[in-house]
Amino acid sequence: MTQQRRVALVLVLNLSMIAGLLVAGLFAHSLSLLAEGGDFLADSLALALGLLAIYLRDRHRNAMATTWVALVNAVWLLVLSVGVAISAARRLISGSPEVHGLPVLVASAIAAVVMLCAALILGADAGREDLHMRSILLDTVADGAAAAVVAGVGVVLVVANRWFWLDAAAALLVSALIAFAALRLLRDVLRALRSAAPYVPEDDD
């Protein structure tokens, strides 16, 4: 399957989750679900730009197009992670409102399964194709891991119906996962820009 088709499929999967996560987050008073929804929205914008970059690379021989898109993606993810971290810290300091655990559990579990499907579509070797595909794979894996963590928090909230601060703590962890993926991607982008040539990531150091 071509890169363009794989990216388009992952974009469809991301778009299918945005509204559900945001609505569930507002209903449940869950910052972690809202963070997930914002992350999926950011990823969708990056994927749409990525499709344009693939077109420019393949049709107009702009070899660095996907590297520039990866840079935009990395910077936006860092901005998003900082925003989520600030909101989570404020809620932890000021006290969390009651969070409904069942919507958190259901929405996050679905998101984790969707991201697993997206990772399978991309393939295990996507991270070695180019920086753009690496950025998509890192985003997908980080999103899936974050969704699984939030789903676990949802289980605790359903069973205990207390410890609502865990939702803000989960949002803080989501921001950390996003930032970690973004910083690794930014490292590879800077390598490519320094060499003025497309950088194909090798096995992680």
Side-chain angles (χ1 to χ4, degrees):
M1 191 183 300
T2 65
Q3 274 192 5
Q4 190 171 26
R5 182 167 295 183
R6 282 180 287 156
V7 172
L9 287 173
V10 174
L11 174 58
V12 170
L13 290 176
N14 273 267
L15 289 172
S16 70
M17 291 300 304
I18 294 171
L21 286 169
L22 294 178
V23 170
L26 291 171
F27 174 78
H29 307 132
S30 171
L31 183 60
S32 59
L33 281 184
L34 292 175
E36 284 187 65
D39 187 28
F40 274 61
L41 177 59
D43 289 348
S44 296
L45 294 174
L47 288 166
L49 283 175
L51 288 173
L52 175 61
I54 290 173
Y55 172 80
L56 291 174
R57 183 197 65 194
D58 295 345
R59 299 296 179 88
H60 298 279
R61 304 191 179 208
N62 187 338
M64 293 295 289
T66 53
T67 300
W68 286 111
V69 167
L71 175 62
V72 171
N73 192 21
V75 172
W76 172 242
L77 287 173
L78 283 174
V79 171
L80 177 64
S81 67
V82 170
V84 172
I86 292 172
S87 297
R90 284 176 178 170
R91 184 172 282 197
L92 285 170
I93 292 170
S94 62
S96 176
E98 180 178 353
V99 178
H100 305 302
L102 187 58
V104 174
L105 169 59
V106 173
S108 293
I110 293 173
V113 172
V114 168
M115 286 300 95
L116 174 60
C117 293
L120 292 175
I121 289 171
L122 292 171
D125 292 330
R128 298 187 180 91
E129 293 177 25
D130 58 44
L131 275 173
H132 179 232
M133 295 303 289
R134 181 179 178 85
S135 72
I136 296 174
L137 185 60
L138 284 173
D139 286 350
T140 301
V141 172
D143 290 350
V149 169
V150 175
V153 169
V155 172
V156 174
L157 294 177
V158 167
V159 173
N161 196 29
R162 55 179 176 167
W163 302 324
F164 302 122
W165 59 269
L166 286 173
D167 178 73
L172 202 58
L173 180 58
V174 169
S175 72
L177 290 172
I178 295 171
F180 178 71
L183 288 172
R184 292 183 65 187
L185 175 60
L186 190 60
R187 175 199 64 184
D188 291 341
V189 169
L190 292 177
R191 287 181 183 175
L193 293 178
R194 279 199 301 266
S195 64
Y199 171 67
V200 179
E202 300 175 354
D203 292 336
D204 290 336
D205 302 330

